[in-house]
Amino acid sequence: MIAKRYIFWLYMGYLLLAASPSKGEENTQYQIERAAYFLTSDPQKAESILTALAQSALSKDNDYIEYHYLLSLAALLQQKQGLAKRSFESMFLRVDSDAFLLKRFDILLNIGVWLRREGNYLQSEQVLLCALKEADTTTKEMKALNSLGSVSRHFSSDSSEQKYFRKALELAKQVDNKKAIAIATNNVGVMELELERVTEAKKLFKLAFSSAQVAGYESVELSAGINLLFSLVLLNDALLYQRVLPRVEQLVNKYSASPRGIFFEWVQALAWTKFNKLKLSIDKRDYLKRRFGQIEDTALQRLLVNYAAAQLNIDVTMVNYETHLNRSAITQVEPWLKIALECGY
């Protein structure tokens, strides 16, 4: 009897040991969690943590998908388009796994961002519409709508931008999500600016700026802050401009790698000329012209051309709209991207 009990507990101990994760698995999960922790504050560190992991440690689908998902986000935050693409392609190697299916909305959303930055706007919109179909919460729906609106900004003759942004703002207010309200309000403000309703745009940027501060969302606070400064310069409101400037400048310095820094330089130059009634030097104009050429956002280029270039006496040429449409017409779509474009998963 004693022998049978001994064998029983020995067998149970074996089962428990087999069910518990190995030290290697625990370390893999720990490193992935570390990378997720540093992702927003230090994406470069998050990337380093992930790339230090051996690929052989990613045998489980959950670890594999989470690893490449985080790596794609770290790449996008650092403007590393090639690295992001490789991670997307890797994730689609396990497109039939439960881990992928659970993450598919977020994966599609990030692919939409990647395609937009590549200038492939038509494909970006197509993937984001697939993401919108997958949105099973209000928060996800708002994210997809905001991203769709951002893509639509690049099509000056397309009115869908208004539909997407206003719907996102409506949903954000319904659920009283301060972060989402800040994002959507800032986006609607940009839309008003593009429609040359500067006073209305200023009100929206001011609201978005304060909402982002309440929500503790510095990325939107930075975007709304620069947009607010721009509208204040256009409206010759030097007093409020000087009040807002220190906080925005602090955020620009903190996120120095952000492309929004170029926009901020143009806003500062425009403010200096308008408020002081002075002209820029030739060297300064040449510098801003070179920086303009580094802006990949055609919608932002359009705003600077419409509102600032002539006043600063800077002769710049926008990326041709038709050229971007032609770039969007990908002739050879890779298999993984074809699956994403056709919602085929």
Side-chain angles (χ1 to χ4, degrees), residues 145-146 149-150 153 160-173 180-208 220 224 227 303:
L145 288 168
N146 278 319
S150 295
R153 285 189 63 205
S160 59
E161 171 191 355
Q162 298 184 43
K163 176 184 70 177
Y164 291 136
F165 283 153
R166 291 197 183 282
K167 179 61 177 177
L169 181 56
E170 178 187 330
L171 290 174
K173 288 179 177 178
I181 288 173
I183 294 171
T185 303
N186 181 59
N187 288 335
V188 174
V190 172
M191 185 185 69
E192 293 293 334
L193 197 59
E194 290 174 339
L195 295 172
E196 299 185 1
R197 296 196 283 255
V198 183
T199 302
E200 184 61 29
K202 184 204 79 170
K203 294 177 183 176
L204 291 164
F205 293 144
K206 191 175 179 181
L207 178 59
V220 176
N227 289 332
L303 282 178

Side-chain angles (χ1 to χ4, degrees), residues 52-315:
L53 273 172
Q55 291 296 303
S56 58
L58 304 172
S59 57
K60 289 188 173 181
D61 287 338
N62 287 340
D63 292 341
Y64 179 88
I65 294 297
E66 188 66 17
Y67 170 92
H68 284 291
Y69 172 71
L70 292 173
L71 190 56
S72 68
L73 273 178
L76 289 174
L77 288 169
Q78 298 177 85
Q79 306 292 318
K80 294 184 177 181
Q81 293 291 95
L83 178 59
K85 178 186 175 183
R86 290 192 293 274
S87 287
F88 293 141
E89 188 174 8
S90 296
M91 282 187 279
F92 273 82
L93 292 175
R94 302 195 186 183
V95 69
D96 294 325
S97 68
D98 290 339
F100 181 95
L101 294 176
L102 287 171
K103 210 84 176 176
R104 60 191 170 192
F105 170 82
D106 300 294
I107 294 169
L108 291 171
L109 198 70
N110 292 336
I111 291 173
V113 172
W114 173 74
L115 285 166
R116 175 170 58 82
R117 290 182 181 174
E118 289 288 291
N120 297 319
Y121 305 128
L122 298 177
Q123 281 71 27
S124 177
E125 183 178 47
Q126 199 171 335
V127 168
L128 289 170
L129 286 171
C130 288
L132 185 60
K133 292 177 183 178
E134 294 295 327
D136 54 5
T137 66
T138 302
T139 298
K140 288 181 179 180
E141 189 177 354
M142 288 186 295
K143 285 181 178 180
L145 288 168
N146 278 319
S147 292
L148 281 163
S150 295
V151 172
S152 296
R153 285 189 63 205
H154 296 278
F155 302 98
S156 56
S157 60
D158 193 343
S159 61
S160 59
E161 171 191 355
Q162 298 184 43
K163 176 184 70 177
Y164 291 136
F165 283 153
R166 291 197 183 282
K167 179 61 177 177
L169 181 56
E170 178 187 330
L171 290 174
K173 288 179 177 178
Q174 284 178 11
V175 297
D176 193 27
N177 185 320
K178 297 293 190 295
K179 179 178 175 180
I181 288 173
I183 294 171
T185 303
N186 181 59
N187 288 335
V188 174
V190 172
M191 185 185 69
E192 293 293 334
L193 197 59
E194 290 174 339
L195 295 172
E196 299 185 1
R197 296 196 283 255
V198 183
T199 302
E200 184 61 29
K202 184 204 79 170
K203 294 177 183 176
L204 291 164
F205 293 144
K206 191 175 179 181
L207 178 59
F209 186 59
S210 59
S211 296
Q213 288 179 325
V214 170
Y217 194 26
E218 290 188 343
S219 178
V220 176
E221 185 184 355
L222 172 57
S223 293
I226 298 174
N227 289 332
L228 176 57
L229 290 177
F230 190 41
S231 65
L232 293 172
V233 175
L234 297 178
L235 295 169
N236 289 304
D237 192 341
L239 183 61
L240 186 53
Y241 180 92
Q242 293 301 329
R243 284 172 53 193
V244 175
L245 180 61
R247 175 56 181 164
V248 177
E249 201 163 24
Q250 182 185 21
L251 290 170
V252 170
N253 292 332
K254 183 175 181 179
Y255 300 96
S256 56
S258 170
R260 289 168 290 193
I262 301 175
F263 184 24
F264 181 66
E265 289 176 340
W266 270 73
V267 171
Q268 281 189 305
L270 186 62
W272 186 81
T273 57
K274 290 196 71 173
F275 296 153
N276 297 298
K277 301 187 185 305
L278 295 171
K279 294 183 178 180
L280 295 177
S281 67
I282 295 176
D283 287 345
K284 183 66 173 179
R285 293 203 304 271
D286 288 343
Y287 170 77
L288 289 174
K289 184 174 182 176
R290 289 195 303 273
R291 294 288 276 165
F292 180 91
Q294 296 169 14
I295 298 174
E296 297 180 354
D297 187 334
T298 55
L300 176 55
Q301 281 193 344
R302 190 166 60 242
L303 282 178
L304 292 177
V305 168
N306 291 345
Y307 285 108
Q311 293 192 52
L312 294 173
N313 194 26
I314 299 175
D315 183 19

